[in-house]
Amino acid sequence: MKNLLLLLFIVLVQYSFGQPLYKDKKAPVESRINDLVKRMTLEEKILQLNQYTLGINRNVNNIGEELKSLPAGIGSLIYFNADPVKRNDVQRKAMEESRLGIPILFGFDVIHGFRTIYPISLAQACSWNPALVTQNCSVAAKEAVLSGVDWTFSPMIDVARDPRWGRVAEGYGEDPYTNAVFGVATVKGYQGKKLSDPYSVAACLKHYIGYGMSEGGRDYRSADISAQSLWETYIPPYEACVKAGAATLMSAFNDISGVPATANRYTLTEILKKRWAHDGFVVSDWNAIEQLIAQGVAKDKKEAGLKAFLAGVEMDMKDNIYFENLKQLVAEKKIPMSLVDESVARILRVKFRLGLFDEPYATVLDEKDRYLQPESKALAARLTEESIVLLKNTNKTLPFAASLQKLAVIGPMAKDKENLLGSWAQNGKATDVESIYEGLEKEFKNKLQLSYAKGGDFDGLDESGFQEAIAVAGQSDVILVCLGEKNSWSGESASRSTIALPGIQEKLVVALKKTGKPIVLVLSNGRPLELVRLESIADAIIELWQPGVAGGTPLAGVLSGRVNPSGKLSITFPLTTGQIPTYYNMRQSSRPFGKMGDYQDISTEPLYWFGHGLSYTTFTYSSAKLSSARIKKNQQLTVEVTVTNTGAVKGKEAVLWYISDPAASISRPMKELKFFEKKEINAGEKMVYRFEIDPMRDLSFTDATGKRILETGDFFIHINDQKLKFELTD
Ligand code: NOJ
């Protein structure tokens, strides 16, 4: 009866004042939300809290049935097609057939490009060029919007220190600050200046939180994270990206020391909504609500739904648990109506901000005008150039000497296309990719004689191709061996127990070495590799990562010298798998790292530290200068260094500034990255790099409750091989 009266009232108001307030473009978003929520029935509200799928999910870990009939009032769809016409048909149904005409939010995993696939996130961070990452993400957003997507499940900002974990490829490495900076750059690229811009998509920070700590590098495992590490290591990227305006977050599969991330009121509500005042919404990961049963915190789906909802998960991805149970839970007074309203308001807020109520349909263009525009491919190529890391280069093997005539190109990655795409490239096509060999042909046309033999496969035991490879190599001046990982060895549920290349690939290099020719190793992979047996055999090693569509030409440019490599590692390469975890910002320990406490069989030093990367030129650092040796807590300190390009070619140098705090009430990491900057310097010229230290931002740390503490005492700035001391006083 009460509802009937309310409905009558609304109709009357509408009749007398024309269109309802929520449809008024000019009205403030909050008024539109309030007006709309007031008009909604409980059933309509609950539908908004659910996400179904449209199209078939081809992710083997997340198989879902294709729904034949969709309720017009559904909140969101994961859109597995790339067809704006189809999206518009479905959207039209929502706009015209649902009582209130609420648009559907179409989400999809646009991870490193929609169709113009660019390098994986781990590689992007090796560029130390967040502005370039933003530009590539804008391209991804535009291609996504033109395909009918409003919302991407990206960036992944899970700090990851176990390279066995398949998902290290999806994040920005081992360091919280790097994840924060590249996460923010990505959010900016997707969301543009404002969400309502025509080519903006909403970002989704994932997987909130602690997924990177998944035990033993296995997927879907428990994450035993102390409150101290949660605040110190895992939270900073999320805090930075929430502050940068990220519209949504996804709750993770893992538990955090026993409390699943998807039922964690502390992280979802206390921290995210109360402390940080995030006003967007949280979606559960695929099946994460139902999995609360498997995780041992809910006896059935109803209890799982109740726990997730009360903790602060507003949208149920695919489980249909909210749809099936929320009405009853409200009737039983286990869920207050006010929380339903608040959750619906959060989802509507994102839809209003995206402009979906006012422009619900996607523009329909021909595929050729939507994807792979020349300027988009050029941006992807630039990012590949800057992400490539030159790991080793003895005797100036690279760039190739002008006298070089014959190059043997060997290995399973040399002509491969599919694997260069990397994981999570669902709309990427192998036919769009330029292979390494094709890049070489273009770069060295009429300059070098190329010969090719595959030699062997990525794995298995078949050595029958070795003879041909040795014969081809024997005729050459230099051997380029192209090895790596299949793209299916990275991503979700794609962990490896060892990070070494399969034996067959290592054997191929050993066999080729017998020719006595210099060996240049090119690696394409989604995680750090165990290179201990290959490092001494190779004269030069290039980490190409998984570059996406533009791999061949940027790599060939590095080989020819047209491109001077400038990437530096965003993640440490352990010497062996047994050294895991090894990361540069380990906490200080009772006896000095690297001097005592070695393994019996190997040193504790990794092969290549975070930040390692070579160039074709030499950069000489002046003695760094501090503006003062002592500052007060409310003062700023400037530290400056002049870097001179003392080599013969121009190059880009990323300067990485670290801080260490040798004595604090809570033991601090050996050092922590606080700032970085990359600049191009011409041969013979110099550039000044400056770091403005803000004590509260750069010298403080959090305790286990997230409280920031700034303590007086000595600190050190680390830059290259210099270490400068200063004092902080009251
Ligand atoms: C599961 C993955 O963990 C997550 O990263 C992804 O966004 C969702 N599935 C949706 O595909």
Side-chain angles (χ1 to χ4, degrees):
M1 185 63 187
K2 221 169 117 196
N3 275 353
L4 210 73
L5 281 176
L6 185 71
L7 215 69
L8 202 68
F9 175 73
I10 291 172
V11 171
L12 269 176
V13 170
Q14 240 172 279
Y15 186 74
S16 23
F17 299 108
Q19 69 168 358
L21 181 65
Y22 77 92
K23 291 201 172 166
D24 179 0
K25 273 187 197 181
K26 295 200 193 81
V29 165
E30 291 308 310
S31 319
R32 295 177 81 180
I33 296 170
N34 286 338
D35 178 60
L36 180 52
V37 173
K38 278 193 205 122
R39 293 168 192 269
M40 293 170 80
T41 61
L42 179 58
E43 288 77 6
E44 284 167 337
K45 289 175 186 170
I46 290 174
L47 267 176
Q48 285 299 310
L49 305 173
N50 284 271
Q51 181 181 59
Y52 293 164
T53 53
L54 179 61
I56 300 169
N57 192 352
R58 298 190 196 284
N59 176 343
V60 286
N61 307 300
N62 302 318
I63 298 296
E65 286 152 36
E66 182 166 15
L67 291 180
K68 295 287 172 239
S69 101
L70 289 167
I74 189 70
S76 173
L77 292 169
I78 309 190
Y79 184 47
F80 293 106
N81 305 85
D83 177 359
V85 177
K86 182 156 186 199
R87 169 226 162 87
N88 289 349
D89 287 347
V90 176
Q91 188 71 300
R92 195 159 294 112
K93 198 172 148 192
M95 299 308 290
E96 293 171 7
E97 294 177 25
S98 70
R99 190 177 66 89
L100 294 162
I102 303 177
I104 295 171
L105 181 64
F106 290 78
F108 187 64
D109 287 285
V110 183
I111 307 298
H112 52 117
F114 188 85
R115 176 75 183 266
T116 307
I117 304 296
Y118 45 84
I120 54 169
S121 305
L122 189 61
Q124 292 168 32
C126 296
S127 74
W128 302 100
N129 190 343
L132 188 53
V133 168
T134 300
Q135 286 178 292
N136 274 275
C137 292
S138 307
V139 170
K142 186 170 179 184
E143 291 189 353
V145 166
L146 290 172
S147 308
V149 174
D150 312 304
W151 175 30
T152 171
F153 307 132
S154 167
M156 184 186 108
I157 45 172
D158 296 323
V159 172
R161 292 164 170 183
D162 190 331
R164 291 172 296 181
W165 190 46
R167 307 199 78 166
V168 286
E170 295 175 55
Y172 308 96
E174 70 193 36
D175 175 57
Y177 179 72
T178 313
N179 273 278
V181 173
F182 282 94
V184 168
T186 301
V187 170
K188 274 194 198 155
Y190 292 149
Q191 298 196 171
K193 287 209 173 61
K194 45 183 188 349
L195 277 178
S196 57
D197 288 348
Y199 297 126
S200 290
V201 291
C204 181
L205 311 176
K206 70 186 192 186
H207 305 81
Y208 190 63
I209 192 169
Y211 193 20
M213 185 59 185
S214 199
E215 199 171 65
R218 300 178 180 92
D219 216 345
Y220 313 126
R221 293 301 127 200
S222 175
D224 203 358
I225 303 176
S226 69
Q228 184 62 35
S229 330
L230 183 70
W231 277 101
E232 201 168 276
T233 305
Y234 298 97
I235 281 184
Y238 284 92
E239 188 169 5
C241 291
V242 165
K243 291 200 170 133
T248 72
L249 291 90
M250 185 184 291
S251 70
F253 288 136
N254 56 282
D255 66 85
I256 304 155
S257 307
V259 182
T262 298
N264 202 311
R265 201 180 144 78
Y266 177 59
T267 53
L268 293 166
T269 296
E270 294 303 322
I271 299 176
L272 177 66
K273 301 184 213 296
K274 295 199 176 157
R275 286 202 208 183
W276 299 342
H278 185 250
D279 63 2
F281 70 89
V282 175
V283 62
S284 53
D285 200 347
W286 186 274
N287 214 210
I289 301 182
E290 188 173 349
Q291 282 167 194
L292 295 176
I293 304 170
Q295 282 174 296
V297 299
K299 62 178 183 302
D300 53 23
K301 288 190 186 183
K302 188 175 169 194
E303 192 181 9
L306 176 65
K307 287 205 164 180
F309 194 71
L310 290 181
V313 174
E314 283 86 17
M315 188 178 277
D316 169 348
M317 181 188 280
K318 166 268 167 209
D319 284 1
N320 214 23
I321 290 182
Y322 284 1
F323 180 75
E324 284 167 358
N325 296 282
L326 248 50
K327 194 171 175 190
Q328 202 187 340
L329 287 164
V330 171
E332 290 169 10
K333 302 219 167 352
K334 290 191 174 133
I335 289 181
M337 200 54 203
S338 57
L339 189 60
V340 174
D341 285 353
E342 189 201 315
S343 304
V344 171
R346 286 172 174 276
I347 292 166
L348 294 176
R349 187 170 291 122
V350 173
K351 293 186 179 186
F352 275 115
R353 285 185 181 158
L354 276 165
L356 281 179
F357 279 84
D358 313 321
E359 297 286 342
Y361 304 110
T363 309
V364 181
L365 294 182
D366 268 4
E367 273 210 19
K368 67 170 181 13
D369 299 320
R370 252 192 268 162
Y371 303 137
L372 298 161
Q373 300 304 300
E375 60 279 12
S376 311
K377 289 205 277 184
L379 275 173
R382 271 187 56 207
L383 189 51
T384 305
E385 286 178 1
E386 297 213 18
S387 307
I388 288 175
V389 185
L390 180 61
L391 295 172
K392 177 178 179 181
N393 191 20
T394 40
N395 306 323
K396 296 211 168 134
T397 307
L398 294 174
F400 290 152
S403 56
L404 186 78
Q405 289 182 344
K406 293 183 197 158
L407 180 69
V409 187
I410 313 281
M413 201 61 89
K415 290 198 171 177
D416 187 278
K417 295 192 170 201
E418 181 73 37
N419 292 303
L420 293 188
L421 282 171
S423 61
W424 288 106
Q426 306 193 27
N427 286 299
K429 296 209 179 341
T431 45
D432 300 336
V433 175
E434 186 194 42
S435 71
I436 294 176
Y437 196 82
E438 286 168 345
L440 296 172
E441 280 182 314
K442 260 201 229 157
E443 184 86 18
F444 295 110
K445 198 170 175 204
N446 305 327
K447 291 186 198 136
L448 266 188
Q449 192 186 316
L450 301 181
S451 52
Y452 164 78
K454 187 172 177 192
D457 214 335
F458 289 101
D459 51 6
L461 300 169
D462 184 6
E463 295 178 25
S464 60
F466 280 23
Q467 269 323 311
E468 186 202 358
I470 292 166
V472 168
Q475 300 297 309
S476 69
D477 302 324
V478 170
I479 319 170
L480 189 77
V481 194
C482 307
L483 305 179
E485 295 186 308
K486 290 188 179 173
N487 56 353
S488 59
W489 299 355
S490 291
E492 188 182 342
S493 195
S495 298
R496 298 184 63 213
S497 69
T498 166
I499 58 167
L501 286 173
I504 189 76
Q505 295 195 49
E506 292 195 353
K507 273 189 171 175
L508 176 64
V509 186
V510 173
L512 293 168
K513 183 69 186 169
K514 295 200 181 112
T515 60
K517 308 285 162 117
I519 290 189
V520 175
L521 202 58
V522 173
L523 301 167
S524 170
N525 37 287
R527 53 166 63 74
L529 296 174
E530 174 180 313
L531 297 174
V532 63
R533 287 166 298 282
L534 297 179
E535 207 268 346
S536 55
I537 305 179
D539 297 271
I541 307 179
I542 299 175
E543 182 52 79
L544 170 65
W545 299 112
Q546 288 162 332
V549 293
T553 296
L555 171 75
V558 168
L559 297 171
S560 72
R562 178 177 53 77
V563 175
N564 187 354
S566 62
K568 292 185 176 182
L569 293 177
S570 59
I571 191 162
T572 298
F573 275 46
L575 190 63
T576 68
T577 303
Q579 262 188 358
I580 297 170
T582 296
Y583 47 97
Y584 86 90
N585 41 0
M586 281 182 277
R587 211 180 286 290
Q588 296 174 81
S589 53
S590 53
R591 296 193 185 187
F593 181 87
K595 296 206 177 77
M596 299 190 75
D598 275 5
Y599 296 108
Q600 289 298 311
D601 48 345
I602 53 164
S603 112
T604 46
E605 285 287 317
L607 182 60
Y608 302 122
W609 277 115
F610 173 91
H612 172 76
L614 307 173
S615 166
Y616 293 154
T617 190
T618 42
F619 295 108
T620 310
Y621 284 56
S622 69
S623 299
K625 282 199 186 59
L626 287 169
S627 58
S628 166
R630 180 174 301 132
I631 51 159
K632 292 201 167 73
K633 282 181 174 174
N634 60 359
Q635 292 178 325
Q636 284 217 336
L637 178 72
T638 305
V639 54
E640 240 180 54
V641 73
T642 302
V643 179
T644 308
N645 182 342
T646 43
V649 287
K650 84 173 167 203
K652 291 178 183 152
E653 175 68 344
V655 169
L656 274 48
W657 300 92
Y658 302 86
I659 298 259
S660 68
D661 180 354
S665 54
I666 297 170
S667 167
R668 310 301 311 132
M670 296 195 290
K671 58 179 186 177
E672 294 172 277
L673 185 69
K674 294 290 176 178
F675 183 60
F676 62 83
E677 203 178 0
K678 188 177 190 179
K679 296 183 184 189
E680 186 164 55
I681 314 179
N682 287 325
E685 293 183 2
K686 49 182 85 163
M687 284 273 183
V688 177
Y689 290 71
R690 203 169 280 120
F691 172 26
E692 309 275 353
I693 298 174
D694 174 289
M696 199 53 188
R697 186 191 61 201
D698 302 316
L699 308 178
S700 70
F701 52 90
T702 56
D703 68 6
T705 68
K707 197 175 109 216
R708 285 235 148 248
I709 306 170
L710 182 60
E711 292 177 348
T712 55
D714 288 345
F715 288 85
F716 289 95
I717 295 169
H718 304 247
I719 172 187
N720 236 15
D721 47 6
Q722 301 180 50
K723 197 174 165 188
L724 284 83
K725 186 168 160 184
F726 67 95
E727 194 191 349
L728 183 73
T729 63
D730 272 323

